[in-house]
Amino acid sequence: DFGGRRGNDYGGGGRSDFGGRGRGDGRGDFGGRGGRGDFGGRGRQEFGGRGRSGKQYMGDVEDIKKLFDRLGVNGSLTLDDHCLHVIAPPTADKFRDELLGDAAMPATEEWRLNSGTYPKLSCSGGIWLDVKQHIVRANHFKVSSHKIPTLLFHYSVAIHKMYASGELEKEDTAVSGERRITTQVMKTLYDSKPMWRPPAVGITYDGAASLFSTQLLFPGAEGEKQIEKVVFPGSQYLVTLTFVSRLEKPSTDWHPVRHQPLLQALDTALLSFARWEAADAVPTWLLAGVKVFRSDGDVMRLSDSCVSMLGYYASLKICRAGLVFVADIAVNCFLAGGSLLELMCGVGNYNSLDMLCNESTRYFQQAEEAVNSRRSDHYGDNSSSSSKRRSMGADEAFGDLNYGLPVQVIRRMEEAFKTAKIKVTYCNQWKKLKSFGPAPRSASSGFTLDGRQVTIEEYYEIKYRQDIASAKGKLGTGYFATALGATGGKLLYPTLPTVNVGSVKKPAYIPAEFIIIPAGQTRTRGLSGDMSAKIIKQAAMLPNDRMKVISTTQHKSLLEAMTDDPNAEAFGLGQNISHTPLAVRAQVLYPAKLCYGNKQIVEPKLAGTWNLAGSVKFSHPAPDPNVTAQPRPVYLYSVVMTFDRREPRNWESLVYGFVEQVERESFNVGIPLSRVGPLPMMIDGNARGATDESLAEAMGNAKRLGARAVLVLLNFDCYSAVKLAADSVGLPSQCIKWKNMERLPKGYLTNVLMKINCKMGGINHTLAERIPSKNGPQPEEDAEPTFQQPPRSLSWLLDDLCMVVGVDVTHPEPQPVGSTKPIGPSILAIVASMDGMLGQYCAHITTCDMRTEPVNSLRDGIGALLDHFARKNGGFPKSIIVYRDGVADNQFPEVLEKELPAFKEAMNLRGYPDDAVNVAIVVCQKRHHTRLFYENNANGNSSSGDRKEFMNPCVGLCVDARGDSQGGQVDVSIVHPFINEFYLNSHVAIQGTAKPCKYSLIYDEIGFKMSELELMTYWLTYLYCRCTKSVSYATPAYYAHWAARRGKVLLNAGVTGPQLNAMSNDWLGEEALPGMYFI
């Protein structure tokens, strides 16, 4: 409900609904001072302006607007007529059983792509853009495959370290070792084989267990092995190459699954220039998966130990256009390289190394004095309390003495550096930092050497003297003499902590002054909210700038590096990748038409946003208002305020004024609120454990007084406890952050009431009925009222009982490196529509292990939702449309094998046979790297001259399998060759470049035509109740995200998995509780 770490698509200073006041780089619904949110921003707000800057938005282009304005001119067919042929086709066109083949992974057949029934109408749900006048480009670059070798050869790699005795290490370094070592070994082998060099042979190595070549490296059949010995100074390895298979290039069509091994080989060769550099001491390119970063590229400081770097995403993809190269901007978090001592200063909040050392020395001395004091104090039961206090202080100091720094500082350092690769300067060896250890001077660092106990400080002095003695014997100067020669064998910083590169049982301590952290080590876990916000801001590049970066061939660019790489060229890549982004044919889907109270119609058109200014009321206020003695029924609510120890100053005037404004605005939008109970119920949020009990009591009192909702004013952030207390008694709650009351953003009250109305069971707006004109197709008269209300507003499937479902699984966040905190369970959230307006949803939230038992959790959740649907509508749905979020392409079979049976089993348990319901599953994906750009001024016909300008696509822009370049002559669509999928940009980008959502139809018993699925999905994004915008992906999936987030909040509040499941069942019980408490 307010500024958290995760949010939606709408800007503000924060990353959720209510952003901060000054940052302006978050993702909240409400921006704040200098923000970019819907309300109160500097020019991108939802109310009082279009909120887009300059020419960054395709919807501002006059030629695009005119495409829709021409509809309905001179008595021709109206926009409603064009929509009706998709949403309300003739009865004969609805029976498609004979057309349907296998429901799983249905093929892209012609009948799905051609929706034309009426000769006057186009066969789509939108207007196709002329490829000559309106060019849409993707960040895809065509790969000319004719120079790719006909055969590639795959070898598995095994690397075993060889000891001086000739014995081999059991563990395979290629599998478990670090990329730097494996690449060094293979690079040494590669350099020793002149016959393996391009252009005769191209070889690429993935850094692990796979090597690919353009020629046979040694004769023999598959399974044949060749063993090579690789010698390093001080170590040697045995490399075993096993011939795995030949990879044959297809003569015609590329298949994403069948040719996956070939695609892997080419993907490895694509960034071969960076892969081989992993063996270099100072690489030019840093590799992180399929992302590359120039080591001298743009760097931004994220924290005292981390930086972010701007680089490239680079990968190959098979689509209907063939083999393409996908390039995009990438931003990753890396450890800041340099001296460990300097980095420790930053993490420990010390301004300089001198300050760190002085603090450590002083602290060490004080701790020793405290220990000595403790040893001299002998007291019994009659000892003074001051003596006991001195003893307690000595115990704490004695514990910190081991490190020479306070324990809390050491903890911060371990969180920042644990598991980092480090380099020991005096021996030039790489190690892994396991933990920090006791200071070299501390007795705790001691170990037995030649029969006596020595500290680390003493050990280095001894080794220094031994090296000096050996040098006089002309045996050469040793490591320790080199490291300590300038100080005469003395450590510079003996009171600072050491670094443990061994294990807990067998530690190996090295003084921190000899450690450096090499740059280029990725850090993806444990990022704070501020760090993530900075990364997002750095990656939010405007479309014109983004396209320039990814398509340039200038010095130090990605395309230049690939073009100059001889190995990539040997694999047929490099210069065979086009430098011109692929032009795709796209359509702009017909915009939604919305209906508010008193049948007031709102048409957002291409703006993607609308406002509730004036006398606009909610279309369906919450049902069953409380009947009171007032002139008209009202909805009762209560107010709770939390604070931290002390009540805030002047809180009475602030709270009373805010409540008065809320009640006044509630009458304007049609849900008059009337408070019951004290104003407010006061909760001390820091009452040492009493907060939960106080909140539970307050929520119970509000429930008994008949409150339909509770407004919680948070002067103290106890959000999780509030949600737990309210959800436990079945009372919807709405949290208000204190700063939003102090500085009320424009439109804020209306947005709060939008959520309260839906949480109480109301519906803010619906889609409007499409009324046919006399010239258009006349829908058949309905014999009886349809389930869809209003009729002819979304899809013919809702004429009969239909349930739209959203499913999301939230996995536990990765713990910071080295954390011992147990990893929590996954959270499964299922939401389902309960009416024909698709305005009210119910949710079932539970914990599960999606790797082992997803079926049981899904079955129980779907079953509970089906039962609730049947109670409300008098029967089970005839069609179920599932929007599944958070699934990768390679997990599609898993959804069909594990999750689909759960739906079927839930229905069968209720005596509901398979043939009684038709199920369709659509996967929504935002975690992809496809971007769409509108190329403005392509013909140089504007003030910008001949310069091309790329801007964000407008809402409704859709690319699917029908995207050909010249009326079907050349297929250049970027979608999957065989799966029914489409890219849909359904929102206005707040910052940076818009990312379309990819939808894939992976199961279909209904018989969807693509125009029907695309238009229904697009219009669903307008039914999101938390704001007046079309959102970035389908509303059911979005609601499932919020439900999963609520589950996470409750788990953080102390709820167990079984309790969470029981709470969901209570909301879905026989008693008519409102269902959308989770939004």
Side-chain angles (χ1 to χ4, degrees), residues 784-802:
E784 57 185 28
T786 65
F787 179 63
Q788 180 177 201
Q789 294 296 324
R792 295 185 291 270
S793 59
L794 180 62
S795 171
W796 59 273
L797 290 170
L798 280 102
D799 290 345
D800 210 338
L801 294 179
C802 178

Side-chain angles (χ1 to χ4, degrees), residues 33-44:
R33 260 183 354 211
R36 295 184 175 183
D38 299 341
F39 309 102
R42 286 186 175 177
R44 296 192 178 188

Side-chain angles (χ1 to χ4, degrees), residues 478-512:
Y479 291 146
F480 298 93
T482 301
L484 300 170
T487 60
K490 301 291 185 181
L491 294 177
L492 289 175
Y493 311 109
T495 60
L496 289 178
T498 56
V499 168
N500 180 18
V501 297
S503 63
V504 175
K505 294 183 178 180
K506 294 183 178 180
Y509 299 128
I510 300 175

Side-chain angles (χ1 to χ4, degrees), residues 537-557:
K537 186 175 182 179
Q538 188 178 10
M541 191 175 291
L542 292 174
N544 204 46
D545 299 331
R546 182 180 292 264
M547 181 58 81
K548 286 181 181 178
V549 171
I550 63 178
S551 62
T552 184
T553 57
Q554 296 178 355
H555 181 53
K556 297 184 178 181
S557 69

Side-chain angles (χ1 to χ4, degrees), residues 527-802:
L527 301 184
S528 67
D530 287 343
M531 294 169 68
S532 297
K534 290 178 182 178
I535 290 175
I536 290 171
K537 186 175 182 179
Q538 188 178 10
M541 191 175 291
L542 292 174
N544 204 46
D545 299 331
R546 182 180 292 264
M547 181 58 81
K548 286 181 181 178
V549 171
I550 63 178
S551 62
T552 184
T553 57
Q554 296 178 355
H555 181 53
K556 297 184 178 181
S557 69
L558 172 64
L559 286 177
E560 182 207 39
M562 292 192 305
T563 300
D564 294 343
D565 180 23
N567 265 308
E569 188 68 23
F571 278 84
L573 303 173
Q575 297 184 17
N576 298 307
I577 298 177
S578 171
H579 295 169
T580 303
L582 202 64
V584 297
R585 194 171 183 226
Q587 60 175 325
V588 180
L589 300 180
Y590 301 127
K593 183 190 293 187
L594 308 176
C595 181
Y596 276 87
N598 300 324
K599 296 187 178 181
Q600 184 171 349
I601 303 299
V602 175
E603 296 191 62
K605 296 187 177 179
L606 293 179
T609 180
W610 61 99
N611 65 60
L612 301 182
S615 58
V616 178
K617 296 183 182 297
F618 297 147
S619 63
H620 295 77
D624 305 323
N626 305 78
V627 179
T628 69
Q630 299 187 28
R632 56 176 172 170
V634 295
Y635 301 88
L636 300 181
Y637 79 108
S638 292
V639 180
V640 172
M641 187 183 87
T642 66
F643 59 92
D644 183 6
R645 293 189 178 91
R646 296 180 181 178
E647 298 173 359
R649 292 181 180 179
N650 304 321
W651 68 267
E652 294 94 340
S653 59
L654 184 62
V655 170
Y656 278 77
F658 179 76
V659 169
E660 182 181 350
Q661 291 183 75
V662 169
E663 293 184 357
R664 187 188 311 120
E665 185 65 20
S666 70
F667 277 82
N668 294 335
V669 297
I671 53 166
L673 297 176
S674 179
R675 179 182 50 81
V676 294
L679 179 61
M681 301 180 192
M682 307 289 285
I683 304 294
D684 185 352
N686 199 18
R688 292 191 177 183
T691 304
D692 294 349
E693 291 79 3
S694 300
L695 282 171
E697 182 180 358
M699 298 302 174
N701 290 337
K703 185 79 170 179
R704 283 189 291 273
L705 291 171
R708 297 286 299 279
V710 60
L711 205 60
V712 184
L713 313 178
L714 294 178
N715 182 255
F716 175 79
D717 187 359
C718 49
Y719 180 81
S720 297
V722 167
K723 293 303 179 183
L724 173 58
D727 291 357
S728 297
V729 298
L731 184 64
S733 58
Q734 179 63 47
C735 292
I736 306 294
K737 213 165 189 179
W738 196 262
K739 66 180 179 181
N740 288 321
M741 290 199 304
E742 293 177 323
R743 188 182 181 89
L744 199 63
K746 183 179 179 182
Y748 180 79
L749 294 177
T750 303
N751 188 273
V752 168
L753 291 167
M754 288 165 57
K755 296 175 185 176
I756 290 177
N757 182 47
C758 290
K759 289 179 180 182
M760 295 192 304
I763 298 173
N764 297 336
H765 62 276
T766 68
L767 294 173
E769 181 177 6
R770 297 288 178 166
I771 308 298
S773 70
K774 294 182 180 180
N775 296 330
Q778 301 296 313
E780 302 168 3
E781 290 299 327
D782 301 314
E784 57 185 28
T786 65
F787 179 63
Q788 180 177 201
Q789 294 296 324
R792 295 185 291 270
S793 59
L794 180 62
S795 171
W796 59 273
L797 290 170
L798 280 102
D799 290 345
D800 210 338
L801 294 179
C802 178

Side-chain angles (χ1 to χ4, degrees), residues 31-202:
R33 260 183 354 211
R36 295 184 175 183
D38 299 341
F39 309 102
R42 286 186 175 177
R44 296 192 178 188
Q45 60 269 43
E46 176 181 340
F47 299 97
R50 292 164 66 185
R52 291 177 291 273
S53 60
K55 295 181 179 179
Q56 295 300 328
Y57 180 62
M58 174 185 173
D60 291 330
V61 179
E62 292 299 324
D63 288 348
I64 301 295
K65 297 178 184 177
K66 291 177 182 177
L67 293 176
F68 291 93
D69 293 340
R70 296 188 188 116
L71 296 175
V73 178
N74 300 324
S76 63
L77 299 175
T78 66
L79 179 60
D80 286 342
D81 296 331
H82 285 267
C83 295
L84 279 171
H85 82 280
V86 177
I87 66 175
T91 301
D93 196 24
K94 299 176 184 178
F95 297 100
R96 302 167 186 172
D97 292 346
E98 295 181 358
L99 299 173
L100 285 172
D102 191 355
M105 307 301 291
T108 54
E109 299 172 277
E110 181 62 27
W111 67 269
R112 291 188 184 274
L113 305 179
N114 182 7
S115 61
T117 303
Y118 309 104
K120 296 181 180 179
L121 300 174
S122 64
C123 55
S124 71
I127 296 177
W128 286 100
L129 299 179
D130 189 300
V131 293
K132 295 181 179 179
Q133 295 183 4
H134 303 292
I135 298 178
V136 176
R137 294 193 182 275
N139 58 336
H140 293 43
F141 300 82
K142 184 70 176 175
V143 178
S144 178
S145 59
H146 69 280
K147 287 193 175 182
I148 295 177
T150 305
L151 283 178
L152 298 180
F153 302 89
H154 179 200
Y155 296 86
S156 68
V157 178
I159 302 175
H160 294 273
K161 188 173 184 178
M162 179 182 289
Y163 297 106
S165 62
E167 184 181 355
L168 295 179
E169 190 177 63
K170 293 182 179 180
E171 193 173 33
D172 185 357
T173 306
V175 176
S176 60
E178 59 181 85
R179 183 182 298 272
R180 179 187 59 84
I181 295 176
T182 58
T183 306
Q184 281 181 343
V185 172
M186 295 305 296
K187 184 71 161 52
T188 304
L189 176 61
Y190 176 74
D191 291 340
S192 69
K193 303 282 187 179
M195 70 289 296
W196 286 6
R197 307 288 178 82
V201 180

